[in-house]
Amino acid sequence: MGNTQKYLDNSPLFFAPKIQTPLLMMHNDDDGAVPWYQGIEYYMALKRLNKPVWLLNYNGEKHGLTLRKNRKDFAIRLYQYFDHYLKDAPAPLWMTQGLPMLEKGINQKLELDK
């Protein structure tokens, strides 16, 4: 019974209601270090609480990014995210409209929303 309380005390899911800072997450579907479903669970918990959260998933990538195109894409999105929140720049379309799975690789939505 003691292990249950330790789990509850250390699980980020139970702290989701207290989150106030916008969060940009990257969790790849071939991550061997952290199960992919845990990233989805945390993302969905924050979305259901109407918290500002974005989840980036690079198919076939592990815990870090190895493909150059994915590292470049992540760098662009990270800069846009910080420019928006730290420099009051307009948010890019991927932040305001999302990027449906079926458009992944076709429409990156990197343009700024005006």
Side-chain angles (χ1 to χ4, degrees):
M1 199 63 139
N3 287 339
T4 302
Q5 189 59 47
K6 288 180 183 177
Y7 173 79
L8 295 174
D9 291 342
N10 289 296
S11 175
L13 284 174
F14 297 104
F15 291 94
K18 296 181 180 181
I19 297 292
Q20 295 181 17
T21 304
L23 177 64
L24 175 61
M25 305 173 49
M26 179 186 70
H27 199 87
N28 303 320
D29 58 4
D30 197 24
D31 190 328
V34 180
W36 191 56
Y37 66 85
Q38 288 184 354
I40 299 296
E41 286 174 347
Y42 195 56
Y43 171 78
M44 290 306 302
L46 294 173
K47 285 301 279 185
R48 287 180 179 137
L49 293 167
N50 294 314
K51 304 292 183 174
V53 60
W54 294 267
L55 173 63
L56 302 177
N57 169 50
Y58 294 93
N59 298 111
E61 292 276 21
K62 298 196 179 298
H63 196 66
L65 298 174
T66 57
L67 296 176
R68 181 175 169 78
K69 69 175 185 164
N70 292 339
R71 290 192 314 251
K72 183 177 179 182
D73 181 83
F74 180 67
I76 291 168
R77 292 179 196 279
L78 191 60
Y79 274 104
Q80 288 180 325
Y81 171 83
F82 282 122
D83 282 350
H84 175 65
Y85 280 107
L86 300 178
K87 297 181 178 179
D88 291 324
L93 294 176
W94 64 268
M95 286 178 68
T96 59
Q97 298 177 4
L99 181 58
M101 182 194 67
L102 295 176
E103 291 185 37
K104 195 172 179 181
I106 298 168
N107 180 2
Q108 300 303 338
K109 295 193 177 184
L110 297 174
E111 306 83 25
L112 300 180
D113 198 352
K114 298 180 181 191

